[in-house]
């Protein structure tokens, strides 16, 4: 847990206006699909902050932020990788390339999408649904 949660103003200054707006669009997408617990944490490695979505002890995804950059992290287990690979052709070339270059560890394939802009929102929505079916009654996606 983070001692001092960044304000929107601090986050906008850290990321820049465009990236902050993209960050908020992704949060809005996730919040529209899922009822989740979300927590701010200290960033890992070179990241300043992490905003992690979890429910029932399982992580959906995490947003990480540092100066002029943010990333969206998914960790796909074996069954989730099969789902992605079965539908791989429906994703943009950018997402397919990131997936292909992502490292697979003992606990899954760690896929970091850096600075995902609005053109990738549809793909992000599909990636989220690989991790977990939406649990809001009227999802927007």
């Amino acid at each position: 847990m983070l001692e001092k949660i960044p304000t929107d103003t601090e986050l906008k200054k850290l990321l820049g206006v465009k990236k902050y707006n993209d960050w908020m669009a992704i949060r809005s997408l996730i919040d529209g699909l899922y009822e989740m617990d979300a927590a701010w944490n200290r960033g890992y490695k070179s990241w300043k902050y992490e905003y992690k979505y979890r429910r029932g002890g399982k992580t959906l995804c995490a947003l990480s932020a540092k100066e002029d950059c943010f990333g969206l992290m998914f960790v796909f287990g074996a069954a989730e990788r099969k789902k992605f690979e079965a539908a791989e052709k429906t994703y943009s070339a950018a997402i397919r390339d990131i997936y292909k270059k992502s490292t697979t560890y003992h606990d899954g394939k760690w896929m970091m999408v850096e600075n995902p802009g609005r053109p990738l929102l549809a793909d992000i929505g599909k990636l989220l649904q690989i991790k977990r079916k939406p649990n809001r009654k009227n999802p927007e996606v």
Side-chain angles (χ1 to χ4, degrees):
M1 201 72 170
L2 201 59
E3 284 184 32
K4 183 187 176 297
I5 294 171
T7 65
D8 286 342
T9 302
E10 291 168 334
L11 201 54
K12 194 179 290 185
K13 185 177 179 182
L14 179 70
L15 296 174
V17 173
K18 183 192 179 313
K19 290 181 179 118
Y20 171 81
N21 289 338
D22 291 342
W23 165 286
M24 293 306 293
I26 290 169
R27 285 192 49 192
S28 179
L29 172 68
I30 295 167
D31 293 340
L33 291 169
Y34 302 97
E35 187 174 320
M36 288 270 165
D37 297 323
W40 285 98
N41 296 301
R42 174 184 58 78
Y44 299 95
K45 295 195 178 196
S46 64
W47 300 98
K48 185 167 185 173
Y49 300 115
E50 177 190 68
Y51 190 71
K52 187 180 282 189
Y53 286 93
R54 293 177 59 89
R55 182 162 182 150
K58 293 192 175 208
T59 299
L60 175 68
C61 64
L63 285 158
S64 297
K66 62 183 177 182
E67 190 171 340
D68 198 36
C69 183
F70 78 97
L72 177 62
M73 172 66 80
F74 293 97
V75 179
F76 292 120
E80 295 160 337
R81 290 194 307 271
K82 284 182 183 178
K83 286 180 186 178
F84 177 89
E85 290 163 7
E88 189 170 0
K89 290 184 179 6
T90 68
Y91 289 88
S92 66
I95 291 294
R96 290 192 315 263
D97 189 52
I98 293 166
Y99 180 84
K100 183 173 63 174
K101 291 177 180 174
S102 296
T103 303
T104 303
Y105 297 99
H106 72 283
D107 60 346
K109 188 171 199 73
W110 290 51
M111 183 177 173
M112 174 63 83
V113 184
E114 284 197 24
N115 296 317
R118 292 176 191 266
L120 294 180
L121 276 179
D123 282 344
I124 290 167
K126 292 190 296 186
L127 293 171
L128 289 165
Q129 292 182 51
I130 285 175
K131 289 292 296 176
R132 185 181 189 114
K133 290 175 86 169
N135 62 2
R136 293 238 184 239
K137 291 200 187 280
N138 296 312
E140 296 175 14
V141 173

